[in-house]
Amino acid sequence: MIKQILYWGISFLFLCGCIKDEPKGSPAHIENITSEVDDDKLTKAQDSPGDWMSYGLNYQEDRFSHLNQINRETIGQLSLAWSTDLGTTRGIEATPLVVDGIMFLSGPWSVVYALDTRTGKILWTYDPKVPKQTSIKSCCDVVNRGVALYKGNIFVATLDGRLISIKASTGQFNWSVATIDTSKNYTITGAPRVYDGKVIIGNSGAEIGVRGYVTAYDAENGKEVWRFWTVPGDPKNGFESKAMEMAANTWKGEWWNMGGGGTAWDSFAYDPELGLVYIGTGNGSPWNREIRSPGGGDNLFLSSIVAVDVKTGEYKWHYQTTPGESWDYTAVQQMILADLPIDGKDRKVIMQAPKNGFFYVIDRTTGEFISGNPYTYVNWATHIDKKTGRPVETPFSRYEDFNKLVAPSPLGGHNWQAMAYNPTTKLVYIPSREMSYLHGNPTEYIQDPKRWNTGSKFNPNKPIKDDSKAHKAEGRLIAWDPIAGKEVWRTPGASIWDAGVLTTNDLVFQGNAHGIFNAYDAKTGKTLWHTDLKSGIIAPPVTYLVDGVQYVSVAVGWGGVVGLWYKFTETIQPGRIFTFKLGGNAKMPALIPAETKTKLNVTVSATPAQVANGAALFSNFCGVCHQLKGGGVVPNLLYSKPEIMAMLDDIVRKGVFVNKGMPSFGNRFSPQEIKDIQQYIYAEAKK
């Protein structure tokens, strides 16, 4: 008996020693370190400053790191430690997660990668094999914003609507659940979150006529725990909750036949002390309330912050940023939780800079409005009424009788690109833009379930109401004081579509569309360091500690909604991870040279009427991805090879390029309509 005890004791000690000494980056090492990421560790993320364990770094989603080896004094020594080619050619919007030097991130088509940040080596790849035809439902590229990590498993939501659990150590499949009705035009591009043992995920597709909702699944087995619908459905079918019954009183007409919208496609936050999940909701479907809800109404819960119980999904409170939304003014932009001194009292708040141009501070316990001031040029409202919390609209807001130049544009004063809050400087850093859009009310409107339905289109039969102050189209990074409600500094952006940010004690990091990765002084906005990565950046950077050394990583892969149409660098390089440290000595990767392209020069054989028909069809169906005045990650068809354009019917109707991401439109077009589109492209190339 004593011999057996000694044997098992020695074996146990040997086993413990082996586990302790497992090589970094091995499956056993990854299993050990990721299994420790549970509710307690995620709640106390500040106790693990060397790791980046969730999308926004912590439940507050503030993207503020306490690491300080890289600071204002040492930033000049920052240089490349390694770079890794992911072999992708579309947009990368993901925030990487890092635990003890093991990185997890997602790329185009919802593919997941695990890398060892000590070497830059890819450890495993998981491809969910999203059908390429799914891109026909996607409004804004085949992107994915990231993964979640919990108890040794990685969770990814795929473009075609699945939520998948895989082993963090090996990339081995655990389980998958369909979160959407695949017969409808739902997609998912957002990052899941794990709260209280539940994986939270929303969806997108409002422009193509869907009804939004958020679902919580058990992280262990994928079973549905609760679902919160963001807009009401057909009252004849009953309401899923009292919240939906309440919301239905703010809608008119037969909105359910058009979808309704309100999709929660990006932003969530969580307060474990209050037990509340905060959901940011999207625009109406279609955009134009006059069509969607004739007769008016606030149309809850469009463009709102909604608080629900983490255990049940039960509605607790809401705040609507844009009542009667008509401009694609989503409120899915990042929500940051903080405790701020307001009027002599410490308040638990949510801060958000949604598309509509106002920066909001809301009490996260009650939903009470605290403050809201414009952070960019706004002409649809003068201010937010302090008593009611409602915007005071201007004559530029509604566009029933005029075509109106409204600011901000549907791209928003701020979009999905992450902002960050620095508790040291007490400033919020916002990737912002100033831009406007000409909205119009069509004389006739027909809902088409197979294409974008905004209900906002220039009407040549109605006059234009212009605003001379709304003609700018420029990006900028701004530092915002959320207590005073004012801008402190700004630095010009490279474009209208620059990347999200990261902040540390005295620095702000951001990449831009020109491929420049910058570090700014957090107090003044002065550029302290930069490096040229040669391809447009849209993803936010992260920082972490590996074996006592601080690193900064950023995923580079040009794309997204603007990246479909335009590029701001000579070439678009493959998707890569670039990682920096003090005194790094790696060489920049070799660049793919620019390709010489020639414009089409084919005789136009169609009549003017056929060319005009081709132009209308192209605008309605093709222009969402293909822009003839630019050319981003999706080809500019004016520079196609003649032999490719000759195959247009096979490409568009028969889907011979589906495997390349060009979906089949089947019988949506007749052969003559395809020819009209072809001839329109030939005519444009001649101009």
Side-chain angles (χ1 to χ4, degrees):
M1 185 67 180
I2 294 174
K3 286 183 178 180
Q4 285 182 320
I5 292 172
L6 286 171
Y7 171 80
W8 286 111
I10 292 168
S11 298
F12 178 76
L13 289 171
F14 177 77
L15 181 62
C16 289
C18 288
I19 290 173
K20 186 176 180 181
D21 296 332
E22 285 289 354
K24 299 292 179 72
S26 68
H29 166 245
I30 300 173
E31 175 70 20
N32 291 337
I33 60 172
T34 59
S35 294
E36 295 174 355
V37 180
D38 56 12
D39 298 288
D40 185 61
K41 193 153 189 174
L42 288 169
T43 300
K44 299 174 182 176
Q46 73 278 0
D47 295 340
S48 305
D51 296 330
W52 192 291
M53 295 180 291
S54 62
Y55 180 71
L57 179 59
N58 46 41
Y59 283 151
Q60 295 76 37
E61 303 253 339
D62 60 19
R63 295 178 182 262
F64 168 75
S65 173
H66 294 272
L67 301 181
N68 60 9
Q69 284 181 14
I70 301 168
N71 56 50
R72 189 188 291 113
E73 282 69 42
T74 63
I75 188 67
Q77 303 168 42
L78 193 66
S79 50
L80 188 65
W82 55 264
S83 65
T84 296
D85 190 336
L86 297 178
T88 61
T89 57
R90 299 291 286 266
I92 299 181
E93 297 183 351
T95 298
L97 306 187
V98 184
V99 180
D100 193 22
I102 306 302
M103 176 183 289
F104 306 95
L105 81 154
S106 57
W109 299 106
S110 317
V111 175
V112 182
Y113 305 84
L115 296 91
D116 186 342
T117 64
R118 294 167 175 84
T119 62
K121 178 185 176 183
I122 296 177
L123 299 173
W124 55 255
T125 301
Y126 177 80
D127 185 351
K129 299 192 183 305
V130 173
K132 297 299 190 287
Q133 181 65 19
T134 308
S135 64
I136 200 169
K137 298 180 180 181
S138 177
C139 81
C140 308
D141 203 2
V142 294
V143 294
N144 190 281
R145 291 187 195 93
V147 299
L149 169 63
Y150 184 71
K151 291 186 177 180
N153 298 313
I154 295 292
F155 303 90
V156 62
T158 64
L159 189 68
D160 60 336
R162 291 170 286 157
L163 178 66
I164 298 176
S165 169
I166 54 182
K167 290 293 292 180
S169 55
T170 62
Q172 179 183 350
F173 173 85
N174 290 325
W175 53 257
S176 174
V177 60
T179 75
I180 63 169
D181 179 348
T182 55
S183 70
K184 295 183 170 60
N185 291 313
Y186 287 104
T187 52
I188 300 179
T189 57
R193 315 293 205 279
V194 178
Y195 306 142
D196 190 42
K198 304 169 188 67
V199 190
I200 313 292
I201 192 64
N203 44 58
S204 52
E207 277 73 26
I208 323 180
V210 303
R211 178 190 176 203
Y213 58 86
V214 174
T215 315
Y217 296 92
D218 188 302
E220 296 295 326
N221 53 38
K223 290 183 179 178
E224 183 178 320
V225 180
W226 53 257
R227 175 166 289 177
F228 182 84
W229 291 90
T230 56
V231 298
D234 186 346
K236 292 178 183 177
N237 298 329
F239 298 108
E240 293 84 1
S241 65
K242 290 182 180 179
M244 286 299 95
E245 186 175 2
M246 173 186 73
N249 292 325
T250 68
W251 290 72
K252 306 289 185 183
E254 297 183 352
W255 68 88
W256 56 89
N257 290 327
M258 300 183 185
T263 50
W265 51 262
D266 190 43
S267 183
F268 299 97
Y270 173 51
D271 186 327
E273 183 182 338
L274 297 174
L276 294 179
V277 175
Y278 304 102
I279 301 168
T281 69
N283 55 280
S285 177
W287 296 351
N288 189 345
R289 185 184 63 173
E290 289 304 298
I291 295 169
R292 179 183 72 239
S293 179
D298 285 352
N299 291 186
L300 294 175
F301 293 105
L302 297 181
S303 303
S304 300
I305 297 171
V306 186
V308 303
D309 187 285
V310 69
K311 296 191 180 299
T312 64
E314 180 186 358
Y315 164 88
K316 294 299 182 182
W317 59 256
H318 78 275
Y319 175 78
Q320 190 172 38
T321 59
T322 313
E325 196 282 312
S326 260
W327 310 272
D328 190 21
Y329 285 164
T330 64
V332 302
Q333 283 59 51
Q334 179 186 359
M335 296 175 286
I336 295 177
L337 310 187
D339 295 348
L340 297 181
I342 307 288
D343 298 330
K345 284 185 178 181
D346 284 340
R347 300 285 295 270
K348 296 179 181 295
V349 306
I350 292 175
M351 298 181 286
Q352 190 188 49
K355 278 189 184 181
N356 74 10
F358 288 91
F359 186 95
Y360 293 87
V361 180
I362 307 294
D363 187 298
R364 71 173 182 268
T365 304
T366 64
E368 177 191 354
F369 171 80
I370 296 173
S371 66
N373 292 302
Y375 63 88
T376 187
Y377 181 67
V378 173
N379 72 2
W380 71 276
T382 57
H383 64 284
I384 310 297
D385 186 278
K386 290 188 176 180
K387 290 184 179 179
T388 65
R390 295 176 66 89
V392 178
E393 294 186 22
T394 72
F396 271 97
S397 64
R398 305 288 167 177
Y399 47 90
E400 295 92 334
D401 302 317
F402 290 83
N403 297 290
K404 292 181 179 176
L405 193 66
V406 183
S409 79
L411 288 180
H414 170 227
N415 208 292
W416 68 268
Q417 289 91 343
M419 62 184 192
Y421 171 63
N422 188 322
T424 303
T425 63
K426 294 182 170 53
L427 297 176
V428 179
Y429 305 101
I430 311 170
S432 177
R433 70 188 54 81
E434 187 171 325
M435 202 171 176
S436 59
Y437 182 83
L438 190 64
H439 287 275
N441 194 29
T443 303
E444 256 189 289
Y445 177 80
I446 300 173
Q447 182 86 358
D448 186 338
K450 296 179 179 179
R451 67 173 178 88
W452 274 43
N453 295 276
T454 66
S456 169
K457 189 175 182 180
F458 175 75
N459 190 328
N461 300 316
K462 293 184 178 180
I464 296 174
K465 196 159 189 174
D466 192 15
D467 178 1
S468 60
K469 297 178 181 178
H471 289 186
K472 288 183 181 178
E474 61 184 33
R476 71 277 300 255
L477 175 65
I478 65 173
W480 184 266
D481 183 333
I483 299 173
K486 64 180 183 180
E487 182 181 306
V488 174
W489 58 255
R490 73 169 59 183
T491 185
S495 78
I496 59 165
W497 204 246
D498 294 331
V501 301
L502 153 74
T503 186
T504 61
N505 186 56
D506 55 5
L507 298 171
V508 180
F509 290 90
Q510 183 194 30
N512 66 36
H514 288 186
I516 308 301
F517 188 36
N518 294 290
Y520 302 100
D521 187 304
K523 289 185 178 179
T524 67
K526 179 183 177 182
T527 303
L528 300 177
W529 173 89
H530 70 274
T531 187
D532 188 353
L533 302 183
K534 303 296 183 181
S535 192
I537 308 166
I538 50 177
V542 298
T543 189
Y544 49 92
L545 209 63
V546 183
D547 303 331
V549 177
Q550 184 182 356
Y551 292 82
V552 175
S553 289
V554 63
V556 177
W558 182 245
V561 62
V562 171
L564 290 173
W565 311 329
Y566 306 108
K567 64 178 183 290
F568 298 87
T569 56
E570 184 180 9
T571 59
I572 297 175
Q573 297 296 314
R576 293 186 173 105
I577 307 296
F578 288 89
T579 295
F580 302 86
K581 69 175 182 177
L582 300 178
N585 56 12
K587 292 182 179 179
M588 286 291 292
L591 299 178
I592 294 175
E595 186 180 351
T596 302
K597 293 186 176 182
T598 305
K599 248 188 183 183
L600 283 165
N601 186 15
V602 180
T603 302
V604 178
S605 60
T607 66
Q610 289 170 330
V611 170
N613 184 50
L617 291 168
F618 189 94
S619 174
N620 287 333
F621 292 95
C622 313
V624 173
C625 295
H626 294 276
Q627 287 287 312
L628 300 186
K629 293 182 180 178
V633 294
V634 173
N636 182 338
L637 299 180
L638 298 184
Y639 295 87
S640 296
K641 295 178 181 178
E643 57 268 29
I644 296 295
M645 285 303 298
M647 295 170 55
L648 198 60
D649 189 80
D650 288 339
I651 294 168
V652 176
R653 297 203 313 133
K654 298 177 183 177
V656 298
F657 282 175
V658 166
N659 64 339
K660 296 183 177 182
M662 170 62 200
S664 167
F665 283 74
N667 293 323
R668 194 175 302 184
F669 299 115
S670 69
Q672 183 59 51
E673 287 175 324
I674 295 296
K675 190 171 183 180
D676 290 351
I677 293 171
Q678 178 198 61
Q679 294 295 309
Y680 162 68
I681 294 168
Y682 291 161
E684 287 297 297
K686 291 281 189 183
K687 290 184 178 179

